[in-house]
């Protein structure tokens, strides 16, 4: 991923302004460490920080048309650039960059060419002939992009908040699938697929059609002039990506340059579910597998850097971004610059565990539509910024435009989970790749239960985060949370802890408004909480919160996971008060007796780490157990 920054129509064209734009552009240098470029035309500046993936030798930006009257700064990959070049007869290209087609497409089609681009992208194009400009973002929002406005009437476009937050009076997320034009001074949506209206589709499920569509999506993303690999958690989505990549790599240009043996990467706590499953898949596929482990303390130490880079205070995103952030640094140190990842499948197929409670196919389909539309605020943001923090590019074939069209046109009855018929979540995707003659994956991997990334790296990761927040956010702070943070008020100590860090880096009011809010159960939208009345009492974005669905739901956790949090606390306890006020975990359909047993486990942890503990059980009189230390 590259980093782009554009300042358009500012009142200052002095050398000092140019120096300021360069300074702000350097805040994005982590995204593109290979080269920097800046173009100025009067009161307009286009800056670029390049991560060279295609044509590293000559594809530096900004890019131009033949007479350099049209200038473009781009972040992304255009997978169909070769076909587009062939259609642009009479045009001369100055580089082999995939993004070089954009200026020429604008010459031919004006503003109406965006839908011709097959890829992930965000760009700003300046037409110096009439001093007009356009900016656009890809269909789903795989690439990050923000827009801001200065008091002098200037418009700012940046890949990340940090490129514009200090110089704009107001800024916001640039909406995916939209175009901004200076001619109209506003947005219009260029991406208008049939599913966007949320009308219920009726195309019969055909496993071979679905299989071919996804294979095509993966194959087109093998376009690269640099070393690459796949992120492999051992779950269904990343394992399918790895399997298809391994099958088709040998005949590609990338294989001729870098070898036909695929490299795979996984991260987790020692002994985590993902590490074990990924190792098995890697052995099955014959990849060169790289396994990275981290400790809970490693992750906690990185939290501030993670929040600075991913620019959110959303709990789920931070939980999942931290392991990915740590892994990306390791991957880049091996000389790899691009990875293929499995984001988007759960949104398209109803793969999250809460979909087990979808009341009917209509509700399931509408929820998948809502989830896809919000991806740019969650998993796309995580995948893009966690990797870009270290100059690594992530490609996501499940979010291929054509594949989404195929998958979202299927009658959603086929996506409904029916355990009586042994149809678990994402059954239609699993069935599409269940090939007895030429198996893609071992059966038990193909039908492995969904694990959210923040869970799969090791359950004690989330438990450790909660314990750490408990030590740094007091009950008194939580009582005043609504006054301190009236927008998206944090309701847990973990959320409060992340919010404090975020607002230290991004104190502007506009910044907090870029982060979504609302209640969630196991990554649901707020609307889907209505599917089960009990969920309102157990709100948590972890997949384990889907009680009665996840094999290791919270009510089944053992003392070991709580003890792990206790072990973390011993190394942090010296600088905090010696009393903790803990609400015993209330679990739906669990007896009061079991709740008190859970509380006793917490009490025992408190005893061993030397923390005074006050325990409350929900359905029995308050029990006070105080350890004098």
């Amino acid at each position: 991923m590259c980093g782009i920054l554009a300042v358009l129509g500012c009142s200052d064209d002095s050398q000092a302004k140019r120096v300021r734009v360069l300074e702000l552009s350097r805040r994005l240098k982590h995204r593109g460490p290979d080269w920097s470029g800046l173009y100025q035309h009067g009161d307009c500046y286009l800056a670029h920080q390049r991560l060279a993936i295609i044509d590293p030798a000559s594809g530096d930006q900004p890019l131009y048309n033949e007479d350099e009257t049209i200038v473009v700064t781009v972040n992304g990959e255009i997978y169909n650039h070769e076909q587009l070049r062939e259609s642009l007869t009479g045009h001369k290209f100055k580089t082999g960059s995939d993004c070089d087609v954009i200026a020429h497409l604008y010459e031919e089609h004006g503003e109406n060419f965006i839908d011709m681009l097959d890829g992930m992208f965000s760009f700003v194009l300046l037409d110096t002939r009439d001093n007009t400009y356009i900016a656009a973002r890809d269909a789903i929002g795989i690439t990050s992009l923000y827009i801001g406005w200065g008091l002098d009437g200037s418009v700012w476009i940046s890949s990340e908040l940090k490129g514009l937050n200090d110089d704009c009076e107001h800024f916001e997320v640039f909406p995916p699938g939209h175009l901004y034009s200076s001619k109209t001074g506003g947005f219009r949506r260029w991406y208008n697929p049939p599913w966007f209206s949320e009308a219920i589709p009726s195309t019969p499920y055909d496993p071979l059609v679905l299989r071919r569509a996804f294979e095509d999506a993966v194959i087109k993303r093998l376009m690269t002039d640099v070393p690459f690999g796949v992120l492999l958690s051992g779950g269904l989505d990343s394992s399918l990506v790895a399997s298809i990549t391994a099958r088709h790599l040998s005949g590609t240009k990338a294989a001729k340059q870098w070898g036909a043996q695929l490299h795979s990467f996984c991260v987790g706590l020692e002994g985590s579910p993902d590490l074990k499953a990924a190792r098995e898949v890697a052995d099955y596929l014959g990849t060169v597998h790289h396994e990275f482990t981290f400790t809970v303390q490693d992750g906690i130490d990185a939290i501030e850097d993670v929040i600075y880079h991913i620019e959110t205070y959303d709990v789920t995103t931070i939980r999942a971004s931290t392991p990915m952030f740590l892994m990306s640094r390791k991957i880049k140190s091996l000389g790899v610059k691009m990875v293929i990842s499995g984001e988007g499948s759960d949104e398209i197929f109803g793969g999250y565990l809460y979909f087990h409670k979808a009341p009917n196919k209509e509700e399931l389909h509408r929820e998948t539509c809502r989830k896809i539309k919000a991806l740019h605020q969650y998993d796309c943001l995580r995948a893009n910024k966690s990797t870009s923090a270290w100059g690594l590019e992530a490609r996501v074939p499940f979010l291929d435009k054509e594949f989404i069209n195929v998958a979202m046109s299927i009658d959603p009855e086929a996506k409904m989970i029916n355990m009586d018929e042994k149809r678990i979540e994402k059954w239609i995707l699993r069935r599409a790749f269940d090939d007895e003659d030429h198996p893609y994956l071992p059966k038990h991997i193909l039908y492995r239960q969904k694990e959210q990334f923040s869970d799969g790296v090791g359950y004690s990761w989330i438990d450790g985060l909660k314990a750490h927040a408990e030590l740094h956010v007091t009950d008194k702070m939580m009582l005043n949370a609504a006054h301190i943070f009236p927008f998206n008020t944090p309701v847990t100590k973990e959320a409060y802890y992340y919010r404090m860090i975020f607002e230290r880096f991004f104190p502007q009011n506009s910044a907090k408004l870029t982060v979504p809010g609302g209640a969630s159960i196991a990554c649901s939208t707020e609307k889907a909480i209505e599917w089960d009345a009990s969920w309102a009492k157990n709100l948590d974005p972890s997949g384990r919160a889907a009680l009665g669905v996840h094999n290791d739901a919270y009510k089944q956790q053992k003392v070991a996971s709580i003890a792990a949090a206790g072990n973390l606390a011993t190394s942090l306890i010296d600088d905090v008060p010696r009393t903790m006020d803990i609400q015993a975990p209330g679990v739906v359909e669990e007896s009061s007796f079991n709740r008190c047993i859970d509380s006793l486990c917490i009490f025992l942890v408190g005893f061993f780490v030397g923390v005074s503990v006050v325990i409350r059980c929900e359905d029995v009189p308050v029990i006070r157990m105080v350890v004098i230390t």
Side-chain angles (χ1 to χ4, degrees):
M1 286 297 166
C2 302
I4 65 172
L5 173 66
V7 184
L8 305 155
C10 62
S11 59
D12 183 0
D13 60 358
S14 67
Q15 178 62 22
K17 186 65 174 184
R18 183 182 180 92
V19 169
R20 178 58 176 166
V21 174
L22 284 168
E23 178 186 349
L24 294 172
S25 179
R26 280 194 288 271
R27 294 185 183 180
L28 310 176
K29 195 173 183 177
H30 52 275
R31 298 181 63 90
D34 296 334
W35 193 252
S36 302
L38 175 63
Y39 173 85
Q40 179 184 359
H41 176 76
D43 58 1
C44 294
Y45 300 82
L46 270 61
H48 190 266
Q49 301 288 342
R50 187 185 186 203
L51 178 67
I53 303 292
I54 303 297
D55 187 21
S58 67
D60 295 337
Q61 296 193 33
L63 297 166
Y64 307 88
N65 66 336
E66 291 90 341
D67 61 6
E68 299 191 357
T69 56
I70 298 171
V71 192
V72 190
T73 181
V74 193
N75 169 36
E77 303 292 342
I78 310 302
Y79 302 122
N80 64 335
H81 75 103
E82 292 183 351
Q83 298 94 305
L84 291 172
R85 283 172 185 264
E86 291 175 2
S87 71
L88 291 163
T89 56
H91 287 264
K92 295 181 180 179
F93 299 92
K94 297 185 177 183
T95 78
S97 169
D98 54 295
C99 297
D100 209 353
V101 297
I102 292 176
H104 302 278
L105 287 169
Y106 176 80
E107 281 189 291
E108 291 290 330
H109 305 283
E111 296 180 356
N112 301 313
F113 71 92
I114 314 298
D115 200 31
M116 299 171 66
L117 301 175
D118 183 5
M120 55 178 182
F121 54 83
S122 49
F123 68 82
V124 179
L125 180 150
L126 175 65
D127 187 342
T128 64
R129 297 171 300 185
D130 57 5
N131 215 37
T132 60
Y133 58 85
I134 60 172
R137 189 179 183 189
D138 65 66
I140 306 299
I142 302 168
T143 59
S144 58
L145 197 65
Y146 298 85
I147 183 169
W149 292 267
L151 285 173
D152 62 353
S154 57
V155 175
W156 297 59
I157 310 285
S158 176
S159 294
E160 296 186 2
L161 279 180
K162 58 184 68 68
L164 53 70
N165 65 306
D166 287 335
D167 289 61
C168 289
E169 184 68 14
H170 174 73
F171 51 88
E172 60 192 48
V173 174
F174 193 109
H178 279 71
L179 168 81
Y180 183 91
S181 172
S182 64
K183 293 177 181 177
T184 62
F187 293 101
R188 68 174 174 86
R189 199 172 77 212
W190 64 264
Y191 179 57
N192 296 284
W195 63 266
F196 212 85
S197 68
E198 302 184 11
I200 310 303
S202 59
T203 303
Y205 166 56
D206 186 330
L208 293 182
V209 169
L210 189 64
R211 181 197 295 184
R212 171 48 56 188
F214 188 58
E215 286 191 317
D216 289 346
V218 173
I219 291 168
K220 72 174 68 170
R221 282 160 179 79
L222 303 183
M223 175 188 83
T224 178
D225 291 331
V226 298
F228 83 103
V230 294
L231 302 186
L232 179 59
S233 70
L236 173 68
D237 307 329
S238 65
S239 297
L240 284 178
V241 169
S243 178
I244 295 167
T245 302
R247 286 191 177 205
H248 295 280
L249 178 59
S250 61
T252 65
K253 178 183 174 183
K256 294 175 183 177
Q257 287 183 292
W258 309 107
Q261 192 167 20
L262 180 65
H263 287 251
S264 58
F265 308 95
C266 184
V267 67
L269 301 178
E270 194 71 47
S272 67
D274 280 3
L275 289 182
K276 180 176 181 290
R279 196 179 308 125
E280 184 177 2
V281 175
D283 289 343
Y284 181 82
L285 299 177
T287 69
V288 179
H289 191 56
H290 307 265
E291 188 175 283
F292 308 119
T293 60
F294 72 104
T295 67
V296 172
Q297 189 62 59
D298 290 335
I300 287 172
D301 290 343
I303 287 292
E304 292 205 6
D305 284 341
V306 169
I307 292 174
Y308 173 75
H309 279 288
I310 65 174
E311 301 176 324
T312 188
Y313 49 83
D314 176 68
V315 170
T316 314
T317 307
I318 293 169
R319 287 176 176 179
S321 293
T322 305
M324 196 171 194
F325 175 86
L326 296 172
M327 175 173 56
S328 297
R329 186 176 190 179
K330 291 280 193 179
I331 293 172
K332 187 59 183 291
S333 73
L334 297 175
V336 172
K337 297 176 73 174
M338 185 271 282
V339 291
I340 307 178
S341 191
E343 281 76 14
S345 172
D346 293 311
E347 288 74 13
I348 294 169
F349 295 105
Y352 291 108
L353 297 184
Y354 73 89
F355 277 97
H356 279 251
K357 299 293 184 76
N360 52 59
K361 71 175 187 179
E362 291 81 10
E363 277 298 305
L364 182 144
H365 180 73
R366 294 187 188 104
E367 176 70 359
T368 59
C369 292
R370 290 190 292 263
K371 290 292 292 180
I372 296 171
K373 291 174 183 178
L375 265 170
H376 68 285
Q377 297 176 302
Y378 297 102
D379 284 19
C380 286
L381 180 144
R382 166 181 56 80
N384 180 278
K385 293 183 180 178
S386 296
T387 53
S388 293
W390 301 106
L392 181 69
E393 176 174 284
R395 298 180 180 177
V396 283
F398 279 108
L399 298 182
D400 180 83
K401 279 195 304 182
E402 289 305 313
F403 177 72
I404 293 176
N405 286 343
V406 170
M408 292 301 288
S409 69
I410 297 170
D411 186 334
E413 183 64 37
K415 298 179 182 180
M416 288 290 287
I417 297 164
N418 188 327
M419 298 309 291
D420 292 336
E421 297 179 8
K422 298 183 179 179
R423 286 173 50 170
I424 64 173
E425 65 276 357
K426 293 187 287 193
W427 178 83
I428 64 172
L429 180 62
R430 302 174 196 271
R431 177 67 186 86
F433 287 91
D434 193 351
D435 189 327
E436 296 287 349
D437 296 328
H438 305 285
Y440 286 78
L441 294 168
K443 285 274 190 182
H444 62 283
I445 295 292
L446 193 62
Y447 291 94
R448 181 191 180 202
Q449 187 181 58
K450 162 69 184 171
E451 289 281 10
Q452 289 166 211
F453 186 52
S454 53
D455 285 331
V457 297
Y459 295 145
S460 58
W461 166 233
I462 292 177
D463 300 332
L465 286 172
K466 291 179 177 179
H468 180 71
E470 186 75 38
L471 298 175
H472 290 272
V473 179
T474 66
D475 291 343
K476 188 175 182 180
M477 294 163 73
M478 290 300 297
L479 286 173
N480 294 320
H483 301 291
I484 303 298
F485 305 116
F487 177 79
N488 280 348
T489 302
V491 296
T492 67
K493 292 186 176 182
E494 184 185 5
Y496 194 108
Y497 180 67
Y498 300 153
R499 186 65 172 272
M500 288 192 299
I501 298 170
F502 177 88
E503 297 219 357
R504 178 154 37 89
F505 289 130
F506 307 104
Q508 299 86 357
N509 186 60
S510 292
K512 64 176 69 75
L513 300 179
T514 65
V515 180
S520 176
I521 180 77
C523 284
S524 74
T525 66
E526 193 165 13
K527 177 68 175 174
I529 295 174
E530 299 173 6
W531 294 354
D532 189 320
S534 67
W535 284 347
K537 303 175 184 177
N538 191 54
L539 296 175
D540 191 288
S542 168
R544 288 179 291 159
L547 301 178
V549 176
H550 194 285
N551 293 333
D552 290 292
Y554 282 135
K555 68 177 181 179
Q556 298 168 327
Q557 286 189 72
K558 308 301 182 184
V559 177
S561 64
I562 303 174
N567 291 336
L568 168 69
T570 60
S571 64
L572 302 169
I573 202 70
D574 292 337
D575 296 324
V576 298
R578 307 294 280 185
T579 300
M580 293 171 63
D581 190 353
I582 300 176
Q583 178 76 22
V587 181
V588 180
E589 300 177 353
E590 188 176 29
S591 69
S592 298
F593 173 77
N594 284 342
R595 277 196 274 267
C596 290
I597 293 299
D598 288 340
S599 301
L600 180 59
C601 294
I602 298 173
F603 163 73
L604 291 173
V605 171
F607 178 85
F608 287 117
V609 302
V611 182
S612 300
V613 182
V614 179
I615 298 179
R616 296 184 179 91
C617 289
E618 292 179 353
D619 299 328
V620 296
V622 170
I623 302 173
R624 292 187 178 274
M625 309 182 203
V626 180
V627 182
I628 306 299
T629 60

